[in-house]
């Protein structure tokens, strides 16, 4: 079997023999991976255009929701990937890190959409005034690069390694071409097949090259980005490729590194920190059989505790059962293949020239449920290097497997020096309950590590551990680790975007950024800005209020109400030597009074005050001063609605308070939650009557098998249920799902087509109850009247629905709006 690649919109197969892929447990050949004969330059061009163009046009919110949808889709199908992952030698826990950790990356990056504007590009930082008059300014924007992200991945995380990178470039608006390591490409290919079949990503957003290729870098262009995960040796070769230099292509390397963990001098046997340290080292040695770029390779221990750590760690390793990863009792599976086993043994032999093997063996082991000779099994190997300052191999040689070395230190300065001798790593950790020592180590070692975990009893239960990269944190490290910074929340996304400084007038930059800039022209509105729905509000939309004079009584009353009796407000005899000349209004009174001037009193789309983001008092307001307000839309931000909450977005409003001399006295940015437009047609007796007028016996459904009369009778029946006339049925939705199902009424999502009707309705739909369509229409309108009358007479009543449970009048209205729209659309009436 030759593994297929997905490029240029289709699955295709390379030529030649390719690289063999083996079952790590049995040693059997799974198949071959090859990219020979594939048009790789065309694949890169396809990603830049077909996939890239669509992604670049999507907003951050659309990209984020796409990732969330994909994560949910993959998570429902995760078990099929576990079955394949066992062949890589991974246990269930190992596979969980790779598979569900990869899906978790999609979820985490999807959530970052909330930090970006509701547009395809990002506006970074604060505006910069380039002139004294405020009429010439600058702002930085970041736009998606117009290239393709080329990801060259390692064998140890065939799912996580792909998705942790792709999630970031997709959020940035960039397509990806993935080159998984041939050893485990079969698992990557299985996931890509499911992703492609889902249709969730735009075509061209993800392409897969299943096999080694030496030509991938020969046609990269200046707008492309290349990332590499693997050995430092291979990474340096790729980084020196002349095409990268010629085109100035960004190259990110995340290489193997000699990560270390330090035991604090206070963490003696019997302390929680000692136990945490030992368990963490054991975990990092055995999870994924030590085939992790973040695994602990160097164990740095106070010289008086080396023996204690060696004994305790040996006891922990004795508990590790090695064998077939499918078996529940097995705690450590196999390395990826026999070649990797030999590679690890060779590296251990080099380390053993100066260090002693104090636990484990390089000989063949007995594997539980598997043949130790045929599978790629290896015992955990613990070494001890007593002179780590003289014998530097331990800081230079990595055995990429279940191998780690203990070494002593005398004081914190020595521990820091040993940590630095690895010449850069992805992660380090220190286990101590002495925060002073923790600070000393972190400040001293941070220059050589991409991440440092401080472990102690307080964080133990919530800690993700030494070796777990997190999507919102930088994953990378200096020096030997490659100098890269993958992931890292917004920072990772920006790696795939081009930063550009935009200069111009505030009005121009308001238009470019979608964010109102101070001194830009206002956009006067026909209605009060609070009367507009979220979609109709735009940056610069503005309102100038009427005026209000601040009196002594206002100030005194506010002081009594708030208990804020600061002398400037209440004791005018104490003003000498202060910045105040007269009785001064409270700053928060000015903001409150401003709100009273600009708030729209009528019920409308503004659902709630969402908070105050900034507030500045520029000069005092004294009694008898007059103020007015200029309220201007600064920015719109999309948000997810949850629970029983109608869809809404956030609007930031720039509030400028002026005095009677038109001098600016205060500014603030307030946030309001503003409802979005309801996409459904309004449902009332009049509108229903109008739609029914278009319906005839000959009207054909766009989907489904209902006849016009069945549809009308079905709607009439739902109204009779709502008005309490029919309640002799059970709620079919299980109790544990009922709240979530009921919450769906508040969304703007349409009801699904071809949805299975509750059993109660199946029979009713099949049997016509009236003589003809005309009679059914009459009965429907009568049922609508009865529904309205019932809730007019019983405004607090609830009646049950077979799917949504008990609903009040407001919720029934939501349900009927969706339901009637659904069926009217089904028959082409909308």
């Amino acid at each position: 079997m030759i593994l297929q690649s997905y490029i240029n919109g289709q699955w295709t197969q390379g030529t030649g023999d390719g690289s063999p892929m083996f079952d790590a447990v049995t040693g059997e050949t799974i198949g071959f991976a090859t990219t020979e004969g594939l048009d790789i330059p065309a694949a890169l061009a396809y990603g830049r255009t077909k996939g890239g163009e669509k992604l670049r046009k999507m907003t951050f919110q659309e990209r984020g929701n796409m990732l969330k949808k994909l994560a949910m889709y993959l998570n429902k199908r995760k078990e099929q990937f576990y079955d394949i992952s066992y062949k890589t030698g991974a246990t269930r826990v190992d596979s969980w890190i790779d598979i569900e950790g990869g899906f978790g990356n999609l979820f985490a990056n999807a959530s970052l959409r909330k930090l970006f504007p509701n547009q395809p590009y990002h506006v970074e930082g604060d505006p910069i005034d380039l002139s004294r008059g405020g009429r010439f300014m600058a702002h930085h924007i970041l736009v998606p690069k117009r290239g393709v992200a080329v990801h060259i991945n390692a064998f140890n995380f065939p799912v996580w390694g792909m998705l942790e990178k792709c999630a970031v470039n997709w959020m940035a608006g960039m397509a990806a071409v993935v080159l998984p390591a041939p050893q485990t490409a079969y698992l990557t290919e299985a996931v890509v097949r499911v992703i492609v079949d889902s249709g969730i990503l735009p075509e061209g957003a993800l392409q897969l090259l299943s096999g080694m290729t030496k030509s991938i870098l020969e046609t990269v262009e200046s707008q492309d980005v290349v990332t590499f995960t693997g050995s430092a040796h291979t990474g340096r070769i790729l980084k020196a490729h002349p095409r990268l230099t010629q085109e100035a292509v960004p190259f990110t390397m995340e290489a193997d590194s000699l990560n270390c963990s330090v035991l604090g001098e206070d963490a003696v046997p019997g302390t929680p920190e000692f136990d945490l340290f030992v368990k963490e080292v054991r975990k990092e040695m055995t999870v994924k059989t030590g085939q992790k770029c973040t695994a602990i390779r160097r164990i740095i221990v106070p010289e008086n505790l080396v023996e204690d750590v060696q004994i305790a760690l040996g006891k922990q390793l004795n508990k590790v059962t090695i064998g077939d990863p499918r078996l529940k009792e097995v705690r450590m599976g196999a390395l990826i293949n026999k070649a990797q086993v030999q590679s690890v043994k060779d590296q251990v032999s080099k380390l053993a020239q100066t260090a002693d093997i104090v636990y484990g063996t390089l000989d063949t082991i007995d594997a539980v449920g598997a043949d130790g000779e045929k599978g790629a099994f290896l015992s955990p190997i613990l070494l001890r290097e007593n002179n780590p300052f003289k014998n530097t191999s331990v800081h230079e040689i990595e055995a990429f497997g279940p191998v780690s070395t203990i070494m002593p230190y005398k004081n914190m300065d020595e521990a820091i020096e040993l940590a630095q001798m690895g010449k850069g790593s992805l992660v380090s950790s220190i286990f101590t309950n002495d925060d002073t020592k923790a600070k000393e180590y972190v400040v001293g070692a941070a220059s050589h590590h991409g991440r440092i975990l401080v472990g102690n009893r307080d964080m133990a239960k919530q800690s993700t551990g030494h070796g777990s990269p997190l999507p919102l944190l930088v994953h990378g490290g200096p020096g030997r680790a490659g100098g890269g910074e993958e992931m890292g929340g917004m920072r990772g996304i920006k790696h795939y975007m081009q930063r550009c400084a935009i200069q111009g007038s505030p009005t121009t930059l308001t238009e470019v950024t979608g964010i109102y800039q101070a001194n830009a022209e206002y956009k006067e509105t026909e209605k009060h800005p609070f009367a507009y729905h979220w979609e109709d509000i735009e940056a610069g939309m503005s309102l100038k209020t009427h005026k209000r004079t601040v009196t002594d009584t206002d100030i005194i009353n506010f002081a009594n109400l708030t208990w804020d009796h600061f002398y400037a407000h209440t004791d005018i005899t104490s003003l000498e030597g202060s910045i105040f000349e007269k009785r001064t209004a409270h700053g928060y009174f000015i903001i409150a009074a401003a709100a009273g001037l600009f708030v729209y009193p009528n019920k409308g789309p503004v659902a709630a005050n969402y908070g105050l983001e900034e507030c500045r008092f520029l000069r005092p307001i004294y009694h008898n001063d007059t103020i007015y307000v200029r309220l201007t839309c600064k920015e719109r931000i999309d948000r997810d609605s949850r629970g029983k909450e109608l869809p809404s977005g956030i609007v930031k409003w720039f509030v400028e308070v002026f005095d009677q001399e038109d001098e600016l006295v205060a500014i603030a940015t307030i946030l309001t939650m503003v409802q979005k437009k309801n996409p459904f047609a309004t449902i009332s007796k009049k509108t229903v009557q109008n739609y029914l007028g278009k319906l005839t016996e000959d009207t054909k459904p766009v989907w489904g098998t209902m006849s016009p009369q069945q549809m009308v009778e079905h709607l009439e029946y739902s109204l009779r249920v709502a008005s309490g006339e029919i309640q002799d049925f059970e709620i079919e939705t299980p109790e544990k799902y009922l709240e979530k199902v009921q919450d769906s009424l508040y969304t703007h999502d349409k009801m699904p087509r071809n949805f299975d009707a509750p059993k109660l309705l199946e029979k009713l739909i099949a049997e016509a109850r009236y003589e003809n369509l005309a009679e059914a229409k009459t009965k429907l309108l009568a049922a609508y009247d009865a529904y309205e009358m019932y809730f007019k007479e019983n405004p607090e009543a609830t009646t049950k629905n077979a799917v949504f449970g008990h609903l009040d009048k407001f919720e029934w209205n939501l349900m009927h709006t969706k339901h009637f729209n659904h069926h009217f659309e089904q028959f082409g009436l909308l």
Side-chain angles (χ1 to χ4, degrees):
M1 183 269 290
I2 295 180
L3 209 59
Q4 289 191 316
S5 296
Y6 185 75
I7 58 173
N8 302 317
Q10 61 183 357
W11 287 99
T12 186
Q13 187 172 295
T15 59
D17 296 333
S19 304
M21 302 175 293
F22 301 100
D23 186 313
V25 179
T26 66
E28 297 174 351
T29 301
I30 296 172
F32 299 86
T34 176
T35 61
E36 290 295 323
L38 300 183
D39 191 346
I40 294 174
L44 298 186
Y46 187 78
R48 296 182 193 112
T49 54
K50 185 71 174 180
E53 287 178 359
K54 292 180 180 178
L55 286 169
R56 288 192 292 270
K57 291 178 181 178
M58 296 171 70
T59 67
F60 281 102
Q61 278 63 42
E62 289 170 334
R63 295 175 201 147
N65 285 319
M66 175 186 73
L67 262 62
K68 182 179 178 181
K69 185 177 180 180
L70 180 60
M72 296 172 68
Y73 185 88
L74 291 171
N75 208 44
K76 291 178 181 177
R77 293 156 178 81
K78 63 187 178 184
E79 289 304 323
Q80 68 189 78
F81 306 130
Y82 277 100
D83 291 339
I84 301 170
S85 183
Y86 289 129
K87 296 178 182 179
T88 71
T91 64
R92 178 81 186 190
V93 171
D94 297 338
S95 298
W96 178 85
I97 297 170
D98 184 32
I99 296 169
E100 296 189 52
F103 302 164
N105 251 286
L106 294 175
F107 277 119
N109 279 281
S111 69
L112 294 177
R113 68 191 184 278
K114 302 169 187 176
L115 303 180
F116 288 95
N118 189 45
Q119 53 192 18
Y121 52 91
H122 179 53
V123 182
E124 184 181 54
D126 295 323
I128 302 163
D129 187 2
L130 300 175
S131 65
R132 293 182 179 179
R135 296 298 174 186
F136 180 52
M137 61 171 298
H139 217 150
H140 290 87
I141 67 169
L142 289 99
V143 298
K145 286 180 177 288
R146 290 181 171 266
V148 65
V150 178
H151 299 311
I152 306 170
N153 294 336
F155 68 79
N156 52 337
F157 287 100
V159 182
W160 184 90
M162 171 178 65
L163 294 180
E164 62 102 355
K165 294 176 180 176
C166 287
V168 179
N169 66 248
W170 288 332
M171 273 300 293
M174 200 174 192
V177 176
V178 176
L179 285 78
Q183 298 95 317
T184 54
Y186 54 90
L187 178 51
T188 310
E189 188 255 14
V191 176
V192 171
R193 282 193 179 274
V194 174
I195 292 175
V196 171
D197 290 344
S198 74
I200 293 171
L201 297 179
E203 173 53 44
L206 174 62
Q207 296 183 87
L208 175 72
L209 289 168
S210 299
M212 293 285 290
T213 173
K214 296 181 180 180
S215 63
I216 187 70
L217 299 184
E218 293 176 3
T219 55
V220 293
E221 298 178 355
S222 60
Q223 287 287 306
D224 297 335
V225 174
V226 178
T227 71
F228 168 78
T229 300
S231 73
H233 174 73
T234 303
R236 284 191 291 269
I237 294 173
L238 294 175
K239 191 173 184 178
H241 195 287
R243 183 71 177 181
L244 298 182
T245 304
Q246 178 185 340
E247 292 286 314
V249 176
F251 180 88
T252 297
M253 181 167 72
E254 187 259 281
D256 50 13
S257 59
L258 292 159
N259 312 292
C260 64
S261 187
V262 177
L263 181 66
E265 294 173 89
D266 63 303
V268 299
T271 63
E273 287 70 32
F274 182 89
D275 294 338
L276 286 169
F277 176 79
V278 171
K279 289 179 181 178
E280 195 68 17
V281 172
R282 185 265 303 158
K283 182 176 73 172
E284 290 301 313
M285 286 182 67
T286 57
V287 169
K288 292 288 288 185
T289 59
Q291 297 173 118
K292 291 172 59 184
C293 58
T294 54
I296 296 171
R297 304 298 180 199
R298 298 177 298 149
I299 309 167
I300 302 174
V301 177
E303 59 181 3
N304 63 314
L305 298 179
V306 168
E307 201 71 28
D308 294 302
V309 170
Q310 181 180 318
I311 294 170
L313 191 51
K315 290 179 180 179
Q316 285 286 324
L317 292 173
N318 280 334
K319 300 176 183 179
V320 177
T321 307
I322 304 169
D324 186 342
R326 295 173 179 81
L327 301 177
K328 291 183 179 180
E329 63 268 29
V330 168
R331 293 294 176 265
M332 190 174 93
L335 276 72
I336 190 58
N337 54 33
K338 299 287 280 187
Q340 184 63 23
V341 172
Q342 189 57 52
S343 174
V344 172
K345 288 181 177 180
D346 291 344
Q347 298 296 76
V348 170
S349 296
K350 294 176 184 178
L351 292 170
Q353 291 178 13
T354 60
D356 298 321
I357 297 177
V358 295
Y359 184 92
T361 175
L362 296 179
D363 298 330
T364 301
I365 64 169
D366 292 328
V368 176
D371 188 329
E373 289 281 354
K374 294 181 179 179
F377 297 102
L378 181 68
S379 163
I381 305 292
L382 181 64
L383 297 101
R384 175 170 168 172
E385 176 54 76
N386 293 319
N387 197 345
F389 289 100
K390 177 183 177 182
N391 302 321
T392 59
S393 293
V394 71
H395 307 297
E396 298 164 357
I397 296 171
E398 179 180 29
F400 200 68
V403 181
S404 196
T405 304
I406 300 174
M407 61 193 73
Y409 75 88
K410 288 186 175 65
N411 51 51
M412 187 54 68
D413 286 340
E414 282 199 358
I416 293 170
E417 185 177 352
L418 288 171
Q420 293 172 345
M421 287 176 72
K423 297 181 179 179
S425 79
L426 298 172
V427 57
S428 177
S429 56
I430 180 170
F431 287 81
T432 177
N433 201 38
D434 185 336
D435 289 337
T436 302
K437 288 295 183 182
K439 176 183 177 180
E440 184 180 353
Y441 178 76
V442 167
V443 174
S447 60
H448 285 62
H449 305 284
R451 176 168 57 88
I452 296 179
L453 172 117
V454 179
N456 62 25
R457 65 196 71 182
D458 293 337
M459 49 74 80
K461 291 184 179 180
Q462 286 77 38
S463 174
T464 52
H466 166 103
S468 298
L470 299 173
L472 301 184
L473 303 181
V474 167
H475 178 52
R480 180 186 174 116
E485 291 188 346
E486 293 179 9
M487 303 191 296
M490 292 181 71
R491 179 196 301 265
I493 294 171
K494 291 177 181 180
H495 182 66
Y496 298 91
M497 306 185 80
Q498 178 60 49
R499 183 178 287 103
C500 183
I502 311 299
Q503 299 168 275
S505 72
T507 302
T508 299
L509 264 64
T510 294
E511 190 66 27
V512 171
T513 62
I515 300 174
Y516 175 77
Q517 310 289 347
N519 297 316
E521 292 182 7
Y522 301 118
K523 297 177 182 178
E524 303 294 347
T525 61
E526 294 181 2
K527 301 184 292 185
H528 191 289
F530 283 13
Y532 291 91
H533 285 88
W534 185 82
E535 296 90 338
D536 294 330
I537 297 173
E538 56 183 279
M541 184 177 283
S542 185
L543 168 76
K544 181 179 178 180
T545 71
H546 54 279
K547 298 179 179 181
R548 171 179 178 170
T549 297
V550 178
T551 67
D552 257 344
T553 303
D554 290 332
I555 299 171
I556 293 170
N557 285 343
F558 193 83
N560 292 333
L561 178 66
T562 62
W563 291 9
D564 178 354
H565 294 101
F566 185 64
Y567 75 92
H569 314 310
T570 57
D571 184 6
I572 58 175
T573 64
S574 300
L575 298 181
E576 184 178 354
S578 72
I579 63 172
F580 307 106
E581 300 173 1
K582 305 176 186 177
R583 188 189 305 281
T584 307
H586 302 69
Y588 295 113
F589 171 80
I590 297 172
I591 297 300
L597 289 170
F598 67 68
V599 164
Y600 184 60
N602 299 345
K603 184 176 181 180
V606 174
N609 182 342
Y610 200 68
L612 184 68
E613 196 168 71
E614 65 174 341
C615 183
R616 296 287 184 276
F617 305 116
L618 306 178
R619 51 161 297 181
I621 284 291
Y622 301 122
H623 65 91
N624 294 328
D625 280 349
T626 298
I627 62 172
Y628 69 93
V629 178
R630 170 64 76 168
L631 177 74
T632 307
C633 171
K634 186 173 183 178
E635 183 182 2
R636 288 187 316 153
I637 302 173
D638 207 352
R639 67 183 291 272
D640 295 331
S641 299
R642 297 179 180 178
K644 293 177 173 55
E645 177 187 312
L646 294 173
S648 62
I650 300 302
V651 178
K652 293 184 178 182
W653 301 94
F654 186 50
V655 178
E656 298 170 284
V657 184
F658 297 89
D659 65 10
Q660 62 271 14
E661 304 296 330
D662 294 326
E663 292 288 333
L664 188 63
V665 298
I667 59 172
T669 297
I670 67 162
L671 287 71
T672 59
M673 187 184 299
V674 182
Q675 290 178 357
K676 297 180 180 179
K677 284 182 177 178
N678 191 331
F680 300 107
T682 302
I683 297 301
S684 64
K685 182 180 179 181
K686 182 178 180 180
T687 59
V688 169
Q689 199 165 10
N690 289 337
Y691 290 125
L692 290 179
K694 304 176 186 178
L695 187 68
T696 69
E697 294 281 7
D698 298 325
T699 305
K700 301 296 181 185
V702 178
W703 72 86
T705 59
M706 273 186 174
S707 69
Q709 184 172 336
Q710 286 174 323
M711 182 271 284
V712 173
E713 291 188 8
H714 169 59
L715 293 178
E716 182 248 350
Y717 183 85
S718 70
L719 286 168
R720 292 170 61 200
V721 169
S723 61
E725 182 181 341
I726 301 172
Q727 292 284 280
D728 56 342
F729 56 84
E730 299 298 324
I731 298 171
E732 295 187 14
T733 303
E735 181 68 28
K736 62 180 179 179
Y737 300 122
L738 198 56
E739 183 177 0
K740 186 175 182 180
V741 170
Q742 204 171 84
D743 290 348
S744 70
L745 291 175
Y746 288 78
T747 71
H748 285 169
D749 298 332
K750 293 182 179 181
M751 287 185 168
R753 297 183 177 188
N754 299 312
F755 180 74
D756 291 334
K759 295 176 182 178
L760 174 70
L761 298 180
E762 289 178 357
K763 182 179 179 181
L764 294 169
I765 292 173
E767 299 175 357
R769 302 194 305 278
Y770 304 116
E771 289 294 327
N772 50 47
L773 177 60
E775 184 182 358
K777 290 180 180 180
T778 301
K779 295 290 186 180
L780 171 59
L781 295 173
Y784 201 101
D785 286 336
Y787 162 71
E788 292 291 345
M789 182 58 67
Y790 174 79
F791 279 104
K792 184 177 181 180
E793 296 175 351
N794 305 278
E796 303 299 322
T798 62
T799 53
K800 65 182 176 181
N801 176 285
V803 174
F804 299 102
H806 292 275
L807 305 178
D808 59 22
K809 174 67 184 315
F810 180 76
E811 290 167 331
W812 270 116
N813 283 345
L814 294 176
M815 186 272 178
H816 288 319
T817 297
K818 286 194 173 191
H819 196 206
F820 277 66
N821 271 260
H822 173 76
H823 288 296
F824 287 169
E825 185 179 342
Q826 179 186 14
F827 281 85
L829 306 180
L830 288 177

